[in-house]
Amino acid sequence: MPPPPPPLGRGRRRAAQVFDEALDDTELVAARTALTQGRWQSARSLLARTGDEWDRRGHRVTVLAAEPYCAAWTREWLLAEPESADASVLLAVALVRRALRGKETPQAAREACRSAAGRAPADPTPWLGLLMLARERGPERDVVRLFEEVRARYADHHHAHHLMVAWLAERRADAGPDPLHEVYDFAAWAAEQAPADSPLAILPVIAHTERYRALAAAGLAPADPVTSGHWAGRRARLVMKAAFDWWLEWEQDDHPRRLIDLNFLAHAKVCEGRSAEAAALFHRIGDHVTPQPWSYPGRDARTAFRAARASALGTA
């Protein structure tokens, strides 16, 4: 039998103290709440409705999979519906997230992902799970191969591109600032390959910020991103301007992970000293703060976000 869910009061208190990966997806929040109580039918309905919206499916599966009892309740779902591809995928990613927390063996997570991929060959989500695991635990050759497996199924996969940028940014960190670093080339290439309405247009900003994280962690960039000078160069300014101009014209405001991009873009505008542009982004973000990049490097993300927002909005 799976373990019982935590008392509702304790769960609510805990949720109030952490960042919410669900962002503004209210359907996902409701299904996650039901899942913590053992009612997996809500997750079943949610994933069925999501269909092949691959970015949304990946977002919803990874958030549901983060719940401590997700694997246990999803096994209950599989007992009821042994052929369910959705249940198989959710279990696989739940085991990945457990493995990343040291609660499951990486081999068991990999096997579950491969099994799920066999049941849903068109779905990039099992491969996303494998990429999440390889990014932290796997050899270098696996990261590139798994990223290509995701792209073969959905070329513009948002989460997979973010994982690749974060991974590439950490390469050759000891070389110091390098405007020709491979992460910049990758981000520029991905943005150029993506459709005009794809949020991957902001990927060069993500790359610039992730490279700062890697340099600061190596002691080769100041710990204060605002005074680091990392966003002061001509190349950085061009990247930031292009990304902000694109955002002003972007008409699709329903991408499931857009608030992650907006947090990165607001952070970059704060570091660049463009308070008015940052203020516009903070208004769109509302309370949906994400840990990255406000925690870079080693800062309390919520405190950093609030200070930056207050400064940009003139309420400090």
Side-chain angles (χ1 to χ4, degrees):
M1 291 293 291
L8 293 180
R10 186 175 68 189
R12 282 194 294 267
R13 288 194 297 272
R14 184 182 63 206
Q17 298 168 4
V18 299
F19 299 96
D20 191 353
E21 289 186 73
L23 301 172
D24 61 346
D25 190 334
T26 55
E27 289 185 274
L28 174 57
V29 171
R32 181 182 59 188
T33 299
L35 187 62
T36 63
Q37 300 165 19
R39 294 184 287 115
W40 50 263
Q41 294 85 353
S42 293
R44 177 185 185 276
S45 298
L46 179 73
L47 295 181
R49 290 195 304 274
T50 306
D52 61 357
E53 293 182 62
W54 298 127
D55 273 337
R56 193 175 306 280
R57 179 174 172 85
H59 173 62
R60 287 175 164 175
V61 167
T62 54
V63 172
L64 290 171
E67 283 303 304
Y69 300 126
C70 179
W73 293 126
T74 305
R75 286 191 173 101
E76 293 283 305
W77 177 4
L78 274 170
L79 285 175
E81 299 181 0
E83 302 304 316
S84 172
D86 285 349
S88 181
V89 170
L90 182 56
L91 176 61
V93 179
L95 294 182
V96 166
R97 300 207 69 157
R98 284 180 58 81
L100 292 174
R101 297 195 300 268
K103 303 293 186 180
E104 184 62 73
T105 65
Q107 184 58 29
R110 292 188 189 100
E111 290 174 0
C113 285
R114 293 189 186 104
S115 175
R119 291 191 181 190
D123 187 353
T125 314
W127 298 98
L128 174 67
L130 287 167
L131 179 60
M132 292 167 63
L133 194 59
R135 187 257 183 277
E136 299 293 338
R137 305 285 178 88
E140 182 173 303
R141 65 181 181 276
D142 283 357
V143 176
V144 177
R145 177 180 63 83
L146 293 168
F147 175 68
E148 290 302 328
E149 292 283 2
V150 175
R151 286 196 77 248
R153 290 158 177 82
Y154 181 49
D156 304 318
H157 201 287
H158 190 275
H159 194 164
H161 279 83
H162 274 238
L163 289 172
M164 280 298 292
V165 163
W167 177 73
L168 287 171
E170 295 166 4
R171 291 162 59 96
R172 296 188 296 107
D174 57 353
D178 178 4
L180 302 179
H181 190 274
E182 61 191 302
V183 72
Y184 300 132
D185 289 339
F186 172 81
W189 167 82
E192 290 169 1
Q193 294 290 315
D197 61 350
S198 170
L200 294 184
I202 294 180
L203 207 61
V205 174
I206 313 300
H208 199 74
T209 307
E210 294 289 5
R211 185 59 179 169
Y212 165 74
R213 172 184 58 82
L215 292 172
L220 297 175
D224 181 358
V226 175
T227 61
S228 68
H230 187 72
W231 283 265
R234 179 176 180 275
R235 182 191 172 285
R237 289 196 300 271
L238 290 175
V239 165
M240 302 311 154
K241 183 180 187 305
F244 187 77
D245 288 349
W246 176 89
W247 174 72
L248 289 175
E249 297 180 2
W250 193 34
E251 296 180 353
Q252 296 189 23
D253 201 23
D254 63 347
H255 190 277
R257 286 169 50 90
R258 72 191 182 285
L259 287 159
I260 296 172
D261 290 322
L262 294 186
N263 273 269
F264 270 91
L265 190 52
H267 176 269
K269 286 299 176 181
V270 168
C271 294
E272 195 183 13
R274 309 280 294 192
S275 296
E277 293 172 357
L281 291 157
F282 281 121
H283 281 302
R284 297 299 291 273
I285 291 168
D287 293 327
H288 298 293
V289 56
T290 58
Q292 296 81 22
W294 303 104
S295 61
Y296 298 167
R299 300 187 300 163
D300 179 82
R302 196 173 296 279
T303 299
F305 173 83
R306 287 172 175 166
R309 180 175 60 183
S311 177
L313 299 179
T315 59

